[in-house]
Amino acid sequence: MKSYNSFDVAQNQIKEASRILNLNKATVDLLSWPQRELNFTLSVRMDDGQFRVFHASRIQYNTARGPAKGGIRFHSLETIDTVRALACWMTLKTAVVDLPLGGGKGGIACNPGQLSQRELESLSRAYVRACASSLGLHKDVPAPDVNTNPQIMAWMMDEYEAIVQQHHPGVLTDKPMQIGGTQGRRDATARGGVITVREACKSLKIDPGGTFAIQGFGNAGQRAALLHQEMLGGGKLVGVCDSKGGLVNPNGLNAKELVSHKLKTGSVSTFKGGKKVPRDSILELDADILYPAALENSITVDNAHNIKAKIICELANGPTTPEADLILKKNKIHVIPDILASAGGVTVSYFEMVQDGTLDFWEESQVHEKLDKKLTKAYQTVHEAVREKKVHPRLAATIVGVARIAEACELRGWV
Ligand code: GLU
């Protein structure tokens, strides 16, 4: 199987959108590279008393529209180019939803499954010690991503506050509610995705009550399983998978029971309510709506031809390779691109920053309502660009994002 450098993919997306927007060379060059990259080597004492060294980074891709914003991933295959690509996509994502934020991303190359809670805490605190002077509500605000969660954010915030010697809850988002978190953050990525599916079904005149499948069953995938049915008034979940395997049931899987099974046992494929299948077959299932909610580069030339979904809602970052994208386009599959479909998380993160800054905390219904408005508007803006520029939704979303970022750079006198 071909391997992809996600940063090459991201740079090409920026260049293609810039060409259509007729941007000058300096602007394209500026938007094609991160503004600032921090690399650090962290030394952590493990439970056996020995020290172990980890490589980590934080990238502030572009801050013309506001402070850098984006998650921190703990993953064994993390490379500087993956983090660059993800930081670039965060910048586009915050611009597509029109948040007053830039984009960033961080990562630690590690296998969190092999670390104890104490080791995870030490690693998280070491990360913040390495970059504390570059973080802050008005500089760079991390959040969870793959294999990180509110507990890790709590440790990181605590370490930051110990360094700056004051409360500073807005330094990170998706914290536990008790220490400055917001209502509605945990299911925000999935909720945002389902809102875009609702809008897509309306415009394509597709019944949202049909079948759907989910590839990847981490936080976003689990929440999508529950919210799809709740928010769209029905829908049959016919297949799911996680890194350990897949599960199908053409009569529908019970989403609630499946989520609690996953939380209890760590896998979906041992759930009794369906038939075990190979993990990757879920993408090719006969389902109206497909949610890729795992890692980058899952939809490739090897499976894109076999995808039967009418709508693909990309909850993961960068799940589709460029070649696969062309196949989906040719097959007239409506792709809701990651920088729109997965923007719900960062949108509610922004709401959390606002609440932390004002110490005025909102009801859950207020968060849902504001998120719905933001994502519905972003969906409509992207689809106006589809019509106006006669391009597919991914390019249209990139054009919307790049135009807004370029405008901010220009107004600041950077280009
Ligand atoms: N990690 C999430 C994303 O990729 C959320 C980032 C954030 O809330 O800052 O969109």
Side-chain angles (χ1 to χ4, degrees):
M1 205 172 82
K2 184 174 166 189
S3 70
Y4 287 88
N5 180 326
S6 295
F7 189 45
D8 283 345
V9 174
Q11 284 182 316
N12 285 332
Q13 290 169 342
I14 297 273
K15 287 191 178 122
E16 198 181 357
S18 302
R19 210 168 29 245
I20 294 173
L21 288 164
N22 247 326
L23 298 183
N24 64 32
K25 183 173 179 311
T27 309
V28 184
D29 288 348
L30 185 65
L31 300 191
S32 300
W33 287 96
Q35 258 179 321
R36 193 158 184 243
E37 299 190 346
L38 308 163
N39 288 297
F40 13 91
T41 304
L42 309 173
S43 182
V44 173
R45 193 190 286 280
M46 309 304 278
D47 289 348
D48 63 5
Q50 304 293 313
F51 279 99
R52 201 161 120 204
V53 168
F54 296 87
H55 297 286
S57 64
R58 180 75 190 165
I59 293 185
Q60 295 163 348
Y61 196 88
N62 188 293
T63 55
R65 291 174 47 84
K69 183 83 195 84
I72 300 173
R73 318 213 299 178
F74 287 3
H75 199 269
S76 55
L77 301 178
E78 207 64 74
T79 68
I80 190 71
D81 275 347
T82 333
V83 183
R84 283 173 172 158
L86 292 160
C88 174
W89 290 328
M90 278 312 303
T91 313
L92 291 171
K93 210 185 275 193
T94 55
V96 168
V97 217
D98 207 7
L99 305 174
L101 299 172
K105 204 83 167 197
I108 305 182
C110 68
N111 188 341
Q114 287 170 2
L115 300 176
S116 70
Q117 280 296 98
R118 196 208 58 81
E119 290 168 340
L120 258 186
E121 177 174 350
S122 298
L123 183 59
S124 305
R125 289 183 184 273
Y127 183 90
V128 169
R129 281 197 300 279
C131 60
S133 62
S134 305
L135 303 180
L137 182 60
H138 300 290
K139 292 184 186 174
D140 181 0
V141 184
D145 201 273
V146 172
N147 291 330
T148 46
N149 56 37
Q151 175 59 75
I152 291 176
M153 294 305 111
W155 291 325
M156 288 185 164
M157 179 189 78
D158 184 67
E159 191 66 26
Y160 183 81
E161 292 186 342
I163 294 168
V164 300
Q165 287 288 297
Q166 63 176 29
H167 277 288
H168 200 108
V171 67
L172 292 149
T173 57
D174 202 351
K175 300 175 294 291
M177 287 290 301
Q178 301 86 333
I179 50 172
T182 177
Q183 298 277 1
R185 176 62 185 84
R186 279 282 79 199
D187 69 11
T189 305
R191 185 174 292 276
V194 176
I195 292 167
T196 62
V197 167
R198 182 193 68 204
E199 293 305 303
C201 286
K202 258 192 236 162
S203 76
L204 301 170
K205 303 196 171 36
I206 290 176
D207 174 15
T211 51
F212 68 107
I214 301 176
Q215 177 245 7
F217 218 55
N219 181 49
Q222 290 168 30
R223 305 292 175 141
L226 300 168
L227 286 175
H228 181 101
Q229 288 164 328
E230 186 188 311
M231 292 170 63
L232 304 181
K236 208 188 280 173
L237 176 60
V238 289
V240 291
C241 69
D242 58 21
S243 59
K244 301 193 183 94
L247 192 79
V248 294
N249 185 344
N251 297 319
L253 293 155
N254 183 318
K256 240 190 190 152
E257 286 173 13
L258 186 60
V259 169
S260 54
H261 179 84
K262 166 80 184 177
L263 293 174
K264 245 187 265 147
T265 66
S267 76
V268 290
S269 53
T270 49
F271 182 66
K272 290 283 172 275
K275 188 173 136 242
K276 247 177 153 161
V277 292
R279 183 184 71 180
D280 294 336
S281 65
I282 296 304
L283 291 169
E284 302 174 15
L285 218 56
D286 204 352
D288 298 325
I289 297 156
L290 173 66
Y291 291 93
L295 289 174
E296 307 83 67
N297 303 327
S298 305
I299 301 180
T300 67
V301 276
D302 298 326
N303 54 35
H305 283 294
N306 301 327
I307 291 183
K308 297 168 193 74
K310 297 178 187 130
I311 296 173
I312 297 181
C313 174
E314 294 184 338
L315 289 181
N317 290 306
T320 308
T321 68
E323 290 88 344
D325 216 18
L326 295 176
I327 298 170
L328 302 179
K329 199 173 138 199
K330 200 175 104 231
N331 291 347
K332 300 208 165 22
I333 297 175
H334 184 86
V335 177
I336 311 173
D338 52 359
I339 54 173
L340 169 64
S342 75
V346 73
T347 302
V348 176
S349 275
Y350 161 65
F351 297 159
E352 184 170 330
M353 290 167 68
V354 172
Q355 294 169 73
D356 286 336
T358 55
L359 296 180
D360 175 19
F361 288 86
W362 310 342
E363 299 289 330
E364 191 173 19
S365 57
Q366 256 175 298
V367 173
H368 290 172
E369 202 180 304
K370 285 178 193 281
L371 173 65
D372 202 321
K373 262 199 196 135
K374 275 273 178 212
L375 266 287
T376 305
K377 177 133 190 254
Y379 184 92
Q380 285 162 357
T381 306
V382 167
H383 283 82
E384 267 158 41
V386 167
R387 280 189 292 274
E388 200 184 298
K389 308 267 183 212
K390 302 198 174 18
V391 294
H392 57 283
R394 186 181 318 282
L395 182 53
T398 313
I399 290 172
V400 170
V402 166
R404 287 177 176 163
I405 303 159
E407 205 180 1
C409 292
E410 206 176 304
L411 283 167
R412 284 177 180 276
W414 290 356
V415 283

